[in-house]
Amino acid sequence: MSALSLSTPILRIKALNLHFDEGRIKALNGVDLDVREGEFVSIAGPSGSGKSSLLNVIGTLDAPTSGELVFRDQPYSKIGDASLFRRENIGFIFQAFYLIPTLSALDNVIVPTIGCDGTADEYKAHAEALLTQLGLRDRLHHFPGKLSGGERQRVAIARSLINRPRMILADEPTGSLDSANAAQVLDILTGIVKEQGLTLIMVTHDATVSARSDRIIRMRDGKIEQGASA
Amino acid sequence: MNLFRFALDNLYRRPARTGLTVSAIALGIAAVVALTSIAWGFEASWQKANDARGTDLIVTKMTSENTMPSPFKAEKVQQTLAGLPHVKEVVGLLSEMLTVSNDAPPVFVFGWVYGSYLWEHLKLVDGRWPASREEPVVVIGALAAEMLHKKTGDQVEIEGRVFQVAGIFESSAVVENGALLMTLDMAQQVTDKPGKVNVLNIKMDADATEADLRSIKEQVKQTLPGFVAITSGELVSKNAVVRISKAMSNATILIAGLVGALVVFNTMLMSINERTREIGILLALGWQRGTIIKLIVSEAVILSVAGGVVGIVMGVGIAWGLEHIELMRGKIDAIFSMPFFFAVMGLSVLLGICGGFYPAFKAARSLPSAALRYE
Ligand SMILES: Nc1ncnc2c1ncn2[C@@H]1O[C@H](COP(=O)(O)OP(=O)(O)OP(=O)(O)O)[C@@H](O)[C@H]1O
Ligand SMILES: [Mg+2]
């Protein structure tokens, strides 16, 4: 990765607030954060500190109460179609995998392409390639119930990549895995992210995981704690 | 993997609910198919009987909207009609629904003017026709023969009087196939209605035009107060039984459509509530709201179309069964056609769309973050 791309911000966040219950709950309370293109940022912090809330706002799943967000040169306030923005730019990975139990691994990966303009063959080939890259070549037609936790999360990673996003948002992706599986999933995810030059923002409680990131952000009470960095 | 397959998969996931919903829709559609086909068939078979007889105009009492128009003294009216231009034949007809056997339901008994054109369209398959106006014999339709277990030479008792079966005939109209036929004079005697007929049938000569028919209708209106001249189609559509059965079939269409839409509505609402989080995930994965709407409406339409197909099969079966039970035999002749089946499928699709619409919009409106947090 070049020094130039690392220096270009992909995401700029200023004075971000996300309030619930008419301001009684301040899930995000004045967050400032810049993320560079290709950077791997990990977010740590106690439960309820606003980590998921921050990812949701970055991923346009929640609209902020106030504050400024800019993705590359586009202010979030100018995004007309949030789901189109997500489809083109963002890949989500969740702690609980959230695979669809009645679909095969391959079909689960293809789900985000439903309603897109490409051909079925094209998506199928891409999904197979991604699953192969994630070491699931012989699991294409397995259903989630027949996969281990690590395998399921790898299917979810493939799913997050199918629409060729620029930025991956992962909310405790290894939180449901044992340490061996966690390490393997993390290796694979960071490998792909680096290879494709993607930006990765990951919430994690696991110090060995955050140790591998470019930068660790610590949150508390809806704010980013100062002075923490890897 | 595409939207359609995903929609199918979502329905397979809940086989019991899907099955129940399809069954409920199918029952409604079956009722629609059975009743509508019978109502139309009823009208068509009466029309067919009149058309087969070669009748151009029918003259009845104006108030007659019963199954059979009420009887009237024929002579004067008949003379007036016979004098009108282009009228070739005017023949009276008496018709009653009578019990002729204790172990069979009532059947139609027709009395037709001996030697008139009415008899010409029937095909004699056994025996002979009545030999004179006053011969106490009947000829019976093939279906009536089968239902009453009668053959040529047997006797039937009608209103306390014994008649011999002279022969058996076939007609292209099911109402005639299921009927007993005698001369008008015998029918007037046995029903105690001397000189009376229900309707007068007018047959025009070969060079009569539409305009001539219209002018006869007009003249009947002016010179015969209380009477109307109408075509067989008009008579049949005025018929009370035809009108009631059509009204019933229309009501069934309305009720089945509403109930079907409500069933789909309820099922899809349950289904999207159960899948709240999954819908949040799909939105997080970049699904457009329009794609969510398409998915839910597709599921609703798949349910209703499946219900429609099963319902058509059931409905045809029910109509067939009704045609063959003793009470109804020879009285109904359900008609089915491709356009009818297409219309029923159209109704199914429509109720699916109506029932799926609101749940689809509700699902598409959900906030992805809230849906993801949903337990
Ligand atoms: N929709 C909501 N309505 C009300 N309160 C909310 C809502 N979403 C989040 N919160 C509150 O905002 C705060 C931050 O929540 P968030 O989920 O971001 O925490 P977190 O750091 O991800 O915690 P955890 O580590 O447990 O996942 C919490 O107090 C939470 O209860
Ligand atoms: Mg969280």
Side-chain angles (χ1 to χ4, degrees), chain B residues 324-370:
Chain B
H324 287 81
I325 62 170
E326 280 293 293
L327 184 67
M328 304 292 246
R329 275 186 80 181
K331 287 160 202 132
I332 56 172
D333 186 12
I335 47 167
F336 302 103
S337 64
M338 260 353 240
F340 173 63
F341 291 137
F342 279 126
V344 173
M345 287 317 294
L347 175 71
S348 307
V349 171
L350 192 72
L351 69 85
I353 291 174
C354 290
F357 209 62
Y358 173 77
F361 268 89
K362 186 168 181 246
R365 265 206 327 262
S366 56
L367 201 66
S369 63

Side-chain angles (χ1 to χ4, degrees), chain B residues 49-66:
Chain B
N50 284 316
D51 290 347
R53 291 169 192 166
T55 297
D56 292 310
L57 277 177
I58 290 166
V59 175
T60 72
K61 289 285 264 274
M62 198 117 77
T63 52
S64 303
E65 290 189 2
N66 300 320

Side-chain angles (χ1 to χ4, degrees), chain A residues 148-151 154 174 177-186:
Chain A
S148 73
E151 287 170 333
R154 281 186 273 157
T174 58
L177 306 177
D178 60 44
S179 56
N181 264 310
Q184 191 195 25
V185 163
L186 195 72

Side-chain angles (χ1 to χ4, degrees), chain A residues 51-53 171-172 203:
Chain A
K51 307 181 297 293
S52 297
S53 297
D171 199 344
E172 300 188 45
V203 172

